[in-house]
Amino acid sequence: MTRLFVFGLGYAARAIAAAAGGVAMATTRDGRDGTIRFDDDAAVRAGVAAATHVLSSVPPEGDADPVLARHGDVLSGKWLGYLSSTGVYGDTGGAWVDEAAPADRGRRANRNAADAAWRGLGARVFRLPGIYGPGRSALERVAEGKAQRTGVAGQVFSRVHVADIAAGVVAGFAAPPGVYNLADDEPAPQDDVLAFAAELLGLPAPPVVPLDALTPAARAFHLENRRVANGKARRVLGWRPLYPDYRAGLRALSATTSPMPASTPPAAASGDQR
């Protein structure tokens, strides 16, 4: 029987926990909603001891991975999983990249280091591109008037539906240690995704703005251009994305949910998942 302990019960981790049949225990930064406070060392130690599988979705902070820095000594003997980022590959000029590519070229050195540290422990490292799903997709951004196209030609990104992340990680419970890209089959320009979301909503396409009008974080995002291959996850995990492209994913979201209003935020973002 799988008993899962999650460090950082955020958006993707909640979907994974549900797909795994529930969570034995999990942490958040403040111990909300019946979780364990991340810095409650005794409770964390007891929870991990009772678990068979340990998953971390906590992003690096400063120069360290918070989970390994504080709780690394209690992880021995457990199945380990880590939600990393395809950002570790850096900019490839739009070329395809797979798990054999160098993983130290991302613009966030601490993410590169955390990815390597979890690999060194024998974890299953799941590298994720742009995540979307219920309550957190281009549909919400367009509906709220927050979406902006850039008009940059030839720039593509990979993405993945949160349900496909959950399926991939659960498939990884029986897989050997290593790195797995979980991405859909069709990298695409972000402008195309936003325009399609607007079409589904019956709204005009979002305005085009120059890159220098974007926030610093958005500009940094647009400095990278890559296509992420998912062949290893298909071969080794037997995983297939339920939503192989953004059109399938957004159509499904549009058919089953209404975009959440701005006053109703989704689950806490990754920076507050401990």
Side-chain angles (χ1 to χ4, degrees):
M1 178 180 176
T2 299
R3 298 187 300 277
L4 178 64
F5 187 97
V6 175
F7 284 103
L9 193 61
Y11 185 70
R14 287 182 185 275
I16 294 165
V23 183
M25 277 179 269
T27 71
T28 55
R29 189 183 296 271
D30 55 7
R32 62 184 176 274
D33 300 329
T35 60
I36 297 169
R37 200 177 67 243
F38 180 80
D39 60 4
D40 187 341
D41 295 344
V44 168
R45 183 176 295 274
V48 172
T52 57
H53 292 56
V54 176
L55 174 74
S56 174
S57 71
V58 178
E61 208 169 81
D63 294 329
D65 180 285
V67 173
L68 297 182
R70 187 167 192 123
H71 303 298
D73 61 332
V74 304
L75 302 179
S76 179
K78 306 296 181 182
W79 178 98
L80 298 178
Y82 177 62
L83 302 188
S84 186
S85 167
T86 56
V88 298
Y89 297 123
D91 177 40
T92 68
W96 285 95
V97 64
D98 65 15
E99 293 87 348
D104 58 356
R105 297 180 178 178
R107 50 190 165 82
R108 295 183 58 200
N110 56 2
R111 175 63 87 178
N112 303 341
D115 184 292
W118 282 96
R119 280 185 279 133
L121 292 178
R124 286 79 179 161
V125 174
F126 303 96
R127 292 181 181 152
L128 310 177
I131 301 169
Y132 73 101
R136 187 173 292 176
S137 75
L139 294 170
E140 282 74 30
R141 295 197 300 279
V142 171
E144 294 168 6
K146 296 179 179 178
Q148 296 173 319
R149 294 178 296 157
T150 63
V152 176
Q155 189 169 44
V156 297
F157 306 100
S158 291
R159 51 194 54 79
V160 64
H161 192 289
V162 69
D164 286 326
I165 297 172
V169 173
V170 171
F173 287 175
V179 178
Y180 302 95
N181 292 337
L182 298 180
D184 72 16
D185 296 337
E186 187 180 328
Q190 185 70 357
D191 283 5
D192 290 0
V193 176
L194 295 173
F196 185 72
E199 180 182 334
L200 289 174
L201 294 169
L203 296 173
V208 175
V209 300
L211 279 178
D212 59 10
L214 301 178
T215 66
R219 284 199 301 274
F221 172 79
H222 282 87
L223 289 176
E224 296 185 353
N225 181 10
R226 61 178 167 268
R227 291 173 165 86
V228 177
N230 62 21
K232 182 180 177 182
R234 287 174 170 271
R235 293 190 307 272
V236 180
L237 305 182
W239 173 83
R240 300 289 185 276
L242 180 62
Y243 304 103
D245 57 54
Y246 70 88
R247 290 178 294 273
L250 291 180
R251 282 194 192 101
L253 291 173
S254 178
T256 59
T257 65
S258 297
M260 297 173 66
S263 59
T264 310
S270 61
D272 189 32
Q273 285 181 1
R274 292 192 198 176

